[in-house]
Amino acid sequence: MSDAWFAHKLAPDGDTTDGCHPDEAQALKSYLSGSSTSSQAAQAITKPILQSPDPNGDLPRLWSLIADALLELPPPTVLSLIALIRAIEALPPPDFSSLSEANRPAHGQLWRTLPGFGHLWADDYPSLRQWAYDGVSKTAAEREATIARFTRRAEVEARLAREGLAGFPMHWGYECVADALEQSSSEAEVEIPVACKWIQIASEKFREGTERRESSWGLERKRDLWDGASNGQMSVERWSFWIKRLRELEADENLSGKVRDDVKECLGSMSK
């Protein structure tokens, strides 16, 4: 693990008052270097919150450390970080009854679903469509870097949603895929790789939703290419439409080879 990355998290912009707790950083660093188990790391990384006079005020720093690690550290660490989240969620609920209401975690009882983590994640990391359609021109390098970042984000979200962790909902996946495949205005080179990552990782969850006609706010908005029922439900018809659209994109020679390869892999995961 990079010492510079952890040093920055301790003192962003050189200011230690904005950084995470040193014990949180050390716990994460030791875990990712193989010096502790996920259970041991979960206890160590949450200890500063348990000892804090203001868990509500300090919790966002821990959540930010974990969120940044999920997105910024080398890709092979993602699975280890998800195992850490699972271990944190398995910790017994702390007793903050001696603290005032204002100092207790505002989003609910710790640690199941990491209360407040999903809100921080959504607030700190704008959506792909916000970036794609903000009216600001991007260089090729900027676009490539952003696509990589959003694809990594999709991997994290899909893995956590698939495992039922951190309170991450499948609604995000439904919205991402529908935005990419159900409307003609989608920017294929940008949105398709991200949607494919969601499908590849969470294909089983999507199929389960299809079988039980799951309702999702991510499917409620009407999009021009989908002429089926706009009742916010997943269905066999919708799943078949997604496959049809992906096959069209796989054959689209105007798309880059990288995107078409992503689509091919995605279609393979849908047929399993």
Side-chain angles (χ1 to χ4, degrees):
M1 292 299 102
S2 167
D3 289 340
W5 188 88
F6 285 96
H8 176 70
K9 297 309 168 184
L10 285 166
D13 303 318
D15 186 354
T16 56
T17 62
D18 292 335
C20 67
H21 193 286
D23 290 350
E24 294 169 350
Q26 185 57 50
L28 181 61
K29 186 175 182 181
S30 295
Y31 169 61
L32 292 177
S33 67
S35 299
S36 64
T37 66
S38 59
S39 296
Q40 291 169 335
Q43 295 178 51
I45 203 169
T46 57
K47 189 173 182 180
I49 298 298
L50 299 181
Q51 298 176 337
S52 171
D54 182 19
N56 186 52
D58 291 339
L59 194 58
R61 294 186 182 182
L62 173 58
W63 289 168
S64 291
L65 174 66
I66 294 174
D68 289 349
L70 285 164
L71 291 174
E72 297 172 7
L73 289 178
T77 63
V78 169
L79 293 181
S80 295
L81 289 165
I82 289 175
L84 174 60
I85 289 173
R86 186 181 296 107
I88 291 174
E89 290 202 19
L91 292 171
D95 181 7
F96 291 132
S97 59
S98 63
L99 301 178
S100 69
E101 191 70 28
N103 295 133
R104 300 175 194 174
H107 293 282
Q109 176 70 60
L110 303 179
W111 295 97
R112 180 65 182 147
T113 74
L114 307 190
F117 183 79
H119 289 85
L120 180 144
W121 179 276
D123 289 344
D124 285 0
Y125 304 102
S127 73
L128 174 58
R129 292 189 66 77
Q130 285 177 293
W131 175 85
Y133 302 102
D134 62 5
V136 179
S137 61
K138 287 91 174 173
T139 65
E142 287 174 333
R143 289 173 62 84
E144 184 175 341
T146 300
I147 292 169
R149 184 167 68 252
F150 276 105
T151 303
R152 169 74 172 265
R153 175 178 170 173
E155 176 190 356
V156 171
E157 292 177 349
R159 289 190 183 280
L160 289 171
R162 184 185 67 184
E163 300 297 324
L165 295 172
F168 278 26
M170 281 299 296
H171 298 295
W172 293 353
Y174 282 120
E175 182 178 45
C176 175
V177 177
D179 281 346
L181 299 180
E182 295 184 6
Q183 58 190 8
S184 57
S185 63
S186 65
E187 193 169 343
E189 292 283 345
V190 175
E191 296 183 65
I192 295 302
V194 177
C196 284
K197 184 62 70 174
W198 258 103
I199 294 174
Q200 285 174 269
I201 292 172
S203 58
E204 185 175 342
K205 297 290 288 185
F206 282 119
R207 281 194 293 268
E208 290 174 0
T210 297
E211 291 169 1
R212 63 173 182 266
R213 300 186 70 85
E214 183 173 42
S215 293
S216 171
W217 55 254
L219 299 173
E220 289 176 354
R221 180 164 51 84
K222 179 63 178 175
R223 299 165 175 91
D224 64 319
L225 295 182
W226 167 246
D227 57 6
S230 56
N231 55 4
Q233 284 189 333
M234 192 58 190
S235 63
V236 172
E237 293 79 16
R238 199 165 207 150
W239 182 257
S240 297
F241 175 77
W242 287 0
I243 292 174
K244 174 177 175 290
R245 281 285 293 130
L246 286 166
R247 286 174 176 161
E248 291 171 352
L249 291 164
E250 184 184 20
D252 187 348
E253 295 184 356
N254 292 317
L255 293 177
S256 68
K258 172 65 171 61
V259 171
R260 291 165 68 188
D261 286 344
D262 289 342
V263 170
K264 183 177 181 179
E265 291 182 23
C266 183
L267 283 167
S269 68
M270 296 176 82
S271 64
K272 292 179 181 178

